[in-house]
Amino acid sequence: MSTELLAPLDLAFWHLETDAHPMHLGALAVFDPVPGAQPRELLELLGARAAAIPRLRMRVRDVLLPVGGAAWFTDKDFDVHRHVKRIVLSGDDFMPQATRLAGELMEQPLERGLPPWQMYLLDSVGDGPFAVLVKLHHALADGMRAVAIGAGIFDQIASATAGRGAARRRHPVPPRSWLPGPQEAAGMALDRLGDVRRALGVGASVVRASRLDLRGSTALTARSSGTRRLATAELDADTVQLIRRTEGGTANDVLLALVAGALRRWMLERGEALPGVDPRALVPVSRRRPGAAATGNRLSAYLLGLPVGESDPRERLRIVRTAMDRNKAAGPLRGAGAVAVLADQLPALAHRFGAPLAGNAARMLFDVLVTSVPLPRSALSLGGCPLRAVYPMAPLARGQSLAVALSTYGGRVQVGLVADGKALPDLDRLAAAVHEELRELHALLPTVPAPA
């Protein structure tokens, strides 16, 4: 893989970025140490495994055709040491320091002349835990693809990938013509017509759903300062599943209801009036087909009103479940939430010159991003050090102050909250409210004791 055009949605993410609004995903992976594990050896291992991932050797460069387009090129001067660095933390309280530093590092845009990613080994003096902060530009990957790329640093994935690579070298695939046959060309034309019809429907839905009057905005849509703050929370996955079995719906419905309840609790605690209209969440959904090529972004999304005005936690869950069932019945290619589908149909030149307008329009459509990131179910490690937790981080849209990402690993749901540091200085309180909401909802279930 030496040259590859950026898909329209990837190009949109590339051009949406500004210094104050970096468009990278992130994750803070926390590990428990094992005897004999040395930070410098872990740093070398991290660099070697990152360098072995072909996608991480690619950088973006403009092309002549299509006009306004760009492509991925293999960086002939690639040096992994520009991307993998170590930062030593002082003091005994590791997690608060690592979380604060991760937020500060997430403020910094990736250098666009290099492959757009970075990894930081965060450790402290002594034998305590350590963490790896991963930053990947959204043009490089959506959430699922980011997991696939980032997983290459783990012992289990790295060894399995090396084996598959050797097998591929032993059994090369015969070359295939790039020119489609008559039947394939006809099918592509029909698919294109269907895409255009869907895009027109999505565009009409976006216009109908857009809010021109934003006077009721809350701290979620405060003026951007360009700063970033990270807060984390952990939930018991078994408790989430118990609520799902008792109340119906999906585990994601439960998590969305918990986010709604936490926002309500947080707004009331800070003396903020509850909005007259429920804030909207953009809930991404993957359009990636099983077995399909994993490059680029394949995303759509649902719009969901978070019922912060409802005081009953079980009723909030019912409202969320009903709305998500309605979204799923319509499908991920319809409705205003499918704005990414519309972006896929725009020419490269439109993304290059229309990005500022599109970025400013995000707050007219939604208030907060809430995304679930799937992780491997098996136990993972780095240099023999077991992975304890992974806190995912999503980028902030322009004019918005909060993004919530969730993932499940090791029987726990890890929640990563990324916020504008000045708009939401009390982000830790919102993170605590997520856990409190789980306890309250669980306590309302019949004949079920509250979790410890």
Side-chain angles (χ1 to χ4, degrees):
M1 179 174 60
S2 59
T3 304
E4 175 193 327
L5 283 175
L6 268 72
L9 187 54
D10 302 344
L11 195 63
F13 287 133
W14 187 250
H15 289 308
L16 279 170
E17 181 170 69
T18 66
D19 287 343
H21 297 91
M23 289 299 296
H24 48 255
L25 311 170
L28 184 66
V30 183
F31 298 84
D32 289 320
V34 295
Q38 299 297 320
R40 293 195 179 278
E41 294 176 358
L42 290 170
L43 184 67
E44 291 177 5
L45 179 63
L46 188 63
R49 288 183 176 168
I53 301 172
R55 196 70 180 173
L56 297 185
R57 291 175 168 267
M58 308 290 284
R59 68 181 183 89
V60 175
R61 197 168 71 194
D62 291 343
V63 294
L64 293 176
L65 293 174
V67 177
W72 293 104
F73 288 82
T74 299
D75 186 356
K76 296 180 180 179
D77 299 320
F78 176 78
D79 181 359
V80 74
H81 297 99
R82 295 179 176 178
H83 301 267
V84 178
K85 301 176 182 179
R86 179 190 177 200
I87 300 178
V88 181
L89 306 180
S90 59
D92 298 326
D93 211 353
F94 175 77
M95 275 307 297
Q97 290 186 72
T99 302
R100 177 189 56 76
L101 179 58
E104 294 174 359
L105 292 171
M106 289 296 287
E107 291 180 11
Q108 303 170 11
L110 295 163
E111 188 172 340
R112 293 172 75 89
L114 298 175
W117 65 275
Q118 287 178 330
M119 294 185 189
Y120 294 89
L121 175 66
L122 310 179
D123 68 288
S124 56
V125 178
D127 300 324
F130 66 92
V132 174
L133 173 66
V134 180
K135 294 169 58 176
L136 298 173
H137 200 285
H138 211 336
L140 183 67
D142 54 25
M144 290 185 67
R145 180 57 177 155
V147 171
I149 293 173
I153 69 171
F154 295 115
D155 300 335
Q156 295 77 6
I157 309 299
S159 59
T161 302
R164 288 197 299 270
R168 283 195 294 269
R169 288 191 294 272
R170 288 194 298 269
H171 304 285
V173 178
R176 178 179 180 271
S177 173
W178 289 98
L179 296 174
Q183 291 184 340
E184 187 178 355
M188 291 170 62
L190 290 174
D191 288 344
R192 180 62 179 168
L193 288 174
D195 289 342
V196 171
R197 284 196 297 268
R198 280 193 294 269
L200 290 173
V202 171
S205 297
V206 169
V207 172
R208 290 193 298 268
S210 296
R211 302 164 299 182
L212 300 180
D213 185 357
L214 299 175
R215 288 175 296 179
S217 298
T218 66
L220 298 180
T221 52
R223 184 180 297 275
S224 174
S225 68
T227 61
R228 292 293 181 269
R229 184 183 296 270
L230 170 67
T232 63
E234 280 203 12
L235 309 174
D236 181 67
D238 288 340
T239 304
V240 172
Q241 291 295 340
L242 177 60
I243 295 171
R244 176 194 64 80
R245 291 193 299 269
T246 304
E247 299 293 305
T250 67
N252 200 49
D253 295 340
V254 176
L255 295 172
L256 288 166
L258 294 178
V259 171
L263 286 172
R264 172 187 170 85
R265 184 185 295 263
W266 171 74
M267 288 177 179
L268 291 175
E269 285 183 356
R270 69 194 329 242
E272 203 173 294
L274 296 177
V277 178
D278 288 334
R280 285 181 184 167
L282 187 74
V283 184
V285 57
S286 175
R287 295 192 291 132
R288 200 178 299 283
R289 297 176 181 175
T295 57
N297 284 270
R298 296 291 296 166
L299 287 174
S300 184
Y302 299 132
L303 281 184
L304 172 70
L306 295 173
V308 301
E310 173 56 54
S311 61
D312 183 350
R314 295 179 73 184
E315 179 62 14
R316 281 198 296 270
L317 176 54
R318 188 198 66 78
I319 293 171
V320 167
R321 186 179 67 240
T322 300
M324 288 301 289
D325 286 346
R326 187 165 54 246
N327 279 329
K328 293 169 190 174
L333 300 181
R334 297 180 61 185
V339 64
V341 177
L342 177 61
D344 260 341
Q345 305 307 312
L346 296 177
L349 201 60
H351 287 301
R352 182 176 292 272
F353 292 107
L357 179 62
N360 289 324
R363 64 177 300 199
M364 297 171 62
L365 196 60
F366 65 97
D367 302 292
V368 57
L369 176 73
V370 184
T371 182
S372 293
V373 181
L375 294 179
R377 295 185 179 181
S378 58
L380 300 172
S381 60
L382 175 64
C385 300
L387 177 66
R388 178 199 296 180
V390 179
Y391 300 99
M393 290 173 275
L396 291 182
R398 190 176 306 175
Q400 296 172 339
S401 304
L402 176 67
V404 182
L406 311 102
S407 62
T408 302
Y409 177 79
R412 308 289 289 176
V413 178
Q414 279 103 31
V415 185
L417 300 98
V418 175
D420 184 283
K422 292 187 178 179
L424 275 70
D426 54 347
L427 187 63
D428 289 340
R429 184 63 214 123
L430 178 58
V434 177
H435 188 266
E436 292 163 6
E437 281 299 311
L438 178 64
R439 288 181 57 86
E440 182 174 352
L441 180 54
H442 186 233
L444 293 174
L445 301 184
T447 67
V448 176

